[in-house]
Amino acid sequence: MLVAAAVCPCPPLLVPEVAAGAAPELDAARAACADALGVLAAARPDRLLVVGPADRAGPEVYPVGARGSFRGFGVEVDVRLGQDGGTEPGPAPTETGGELPYGLAVGSWLLSRNGWSDAPVEGIGVGEDLPAERCAALGRDLAARAGRVAMLVLGDASACRTLKAPGYLDERAAPFDAGIGRALGAADLAALAALDAVLARELKVSGRAPWQVLAGAAEDARLTGALLYEDAPYGVGYVAAAWS
């Protein structure tokens, strides 16, 4: 049964080495993510499922120790899912997964930064082509696993909030993001389940599928939500929330 969830944005810029001189601009977002992870730890879960965006529809499964890297952003920062950094390699890529997609790599970095050691970790990648009903079914299956399940759910809102945003300015972006903030802050499962996948794709929203997996997982959990952070630096919507 799902006992808690942390919702965090997943821009690689959360990693200070990637952000370089701009790193302080996301200090508030990093602090909110740390607070959300604290809620997970307080729930004393038996396992933590890290759900984030992937290139393929998936779901793609990544075991504890799966490797990720930010070397593509010009920095020598490597991560392993659910493990602190070190010299020992993680598992080699498999047919089910491979190197962690960037969202799960950011999740791994957040866990390591906050010293996560409270429960075993597994990663699940879901892409924008995974329909809402399949996201919900996946969430229900994940929540039905034995024991107390917690979820770290990663994803960004629109990338179209300003003229300099990655997706340029789209007038639909701000109201869409506002709805996401309300839904995540209130743990509104119906609103998350009803997110428009076509519009989300057009607005370059990476979190739609992960959030809908969360909505499916929380159907019988009766969790309440708290919005911890909402902003759009660099024209991209970032939201952090905690459900408990």
Side-chain angles (χ1 to χ4, degrees), residues 91-115:
T94 66
E95 291 184 0
T96 15
E99 183 170 289
L100 294 171
Y102 80 90
L104 293 182
V106 171
S108 299
W109 178 83
L110 287 171
L111 291 173
S112 177
R113 178 177 187 260
N114 290 279

Side-chain angles (χ1 to χ4, degrees), residues 111-172:
L111 291 173
S112 177
R113 178 177 187 260
N114 290 279
W116 180 267
S117 60
D118 297 86
V121 178
E122 180 181 311
I124 298 116
V126 289
E128 63 180 8
D129 290 331
L130 195 65
E133 59 273 15
R134 289 191 60 195
C135 291
L138 172 61
R140 288 191 289 270
D141 288 345
L142 295 175
R145 294 186 178 185
R148 297 169 61 83
V149 176
M151 297 178 72
L152 169 57
V153 182
L154 299 140
D156 298 335
S158 74
C160 303
R161 293 282 293 272
T162 66
L163 292 173
K164 294 184 178 181
Y168 197 65
L169 177 64
D170 191 312
E171 294 180 354
R172 301 171 297 174

Side-chain angles (χ1 to χ4, degrees), residues 190-221:
L192 292 173
L195 288 174
D196 186 329
V198 174
L199 179 56
R201 182 194 295 268
E202 291 174 355
L203 296 177
K204 301 185 182 302
V205 175
S206 70
R208 191 275 306 171
W211 298 329
Q212 289 184 325
V213 172
L214 171 60
E219 283 181 2
D220 297 320

